[in-house]
Amino acid sequence: MAEEVARVRPAELERLTVAEAADRYVELVRARTSTGALSSSTAEVYARDVATLVALAGERAVLDDLTGEDVDAILLAFARKPDGRRAGGADGGGQSASSQARFRRSISALFKHATLAGWVQVNPMTASTVTAKQRGGLRPERRALTREQAQGLIGAARALQEVPEEGKRRDQRMELRDAVIVLLLATVGPRVSELVRANVEDFFTNDGVRYWRIFGKGGRTRDVPLPDDVAAVLQAYLARGRAAVQDKALLLSWRGRRLARGDVQGVIDRVLRRVDPERRRSVTPHGLRHTTATHLLADAVDMDAVRRVLGHSDLSTLGRYRDDLPGELEVAMRAHPLLRGKPDA
């Protein structure tokens, strides 16, 4: 569908919001019905799917800022949506496999057109990793770790500083690097692309506080202060754990090359094996981003501060990174702010 519209990308990128791009695209799709190139019923299916994309992505989000990870989150969110046409769908049965495949085709067509029209620099669908099987299979599972699971993972990462030498050469020892990776993901919640792009020079100290200057989507940067414990492990890694090579990358393989984003999951899995089985649950780098957002927000941290830590331009986007915690509502009501202290006479 999209390939028949614009075949030459404009010299300058047009940074449209998701809602603006959707309106333009749907208008184009409906116009094709007048030529007989598309049936009106098919056009309305596309329009409905694009409207769902806007609702899940956030209408004020910039289309070019969406990454493959964002697309994965959108596909998973759609898979979880109740399908009222199916038996039990109103009770959270989720979308059928055919509906999920249709939705993916619809948004793929939009992004293909957006790439040709110059609304996005890179088609994020090419970086999407969620398969049809995962879209169905991941519905019941939480993406964020519970507090106990997250603390177990963080504890295992901290303990890597004390791991014995095990006969390895210094340039083959990756324990401190692995600790830095897990601690940054679990406490700061960067996108995995932001993590592997990080350079040593991006970390600086100001007034006694260690900061990470993160280069995020859309050319935006944010300076995020690191927790003291994380800053200490980072310093130990820079002092004695990172290979002395000219490459400016923060995270290096044992061969001295910049770590690839695909290597990060292996690091997490390696650290997870050190966690007590009762507190262990598999998690992806994006799941650790959800973990950061979930627990910062659950601890009543200012929403705008969390938005700035995660690098979002809009508060509404936080909803996609927020998982419910067991017993959270009960705790919130027990500590109700209007019932603290003595009542007025």
Side-chain angles (χ1 to χ4, degrees), residues 8 29 71 82 90 92 97 103 110 116 180 194 219 224 248 252 273 279 286 328 345:
V8 180
V29 168
V71 170
F103 178 70
L110 182 150
L116 293 169
V180 167
E194 295 170 342
V224 179
K248 59 185 180 180
L252 300 169
R273 288 196 287 270
R279 305 173 74 186
H286 200 61
E328 184 179 16

Side-chain angles (χ1 to χ4, degrees), residues 269-289:
D269 293 342
R270 190 158 55 243
V271 178
L272 273 171
R273 288 196 287 270
R274 297 177 175 272
V275 179
D276 185 318
E278 294 186 358
R279 305 173 74 186
R280 183 192 307 158
R281 204 201 81 200
S282 61
V283 67
T284 64
H286 200 61
L288 290 177
R289 183 166 166 83

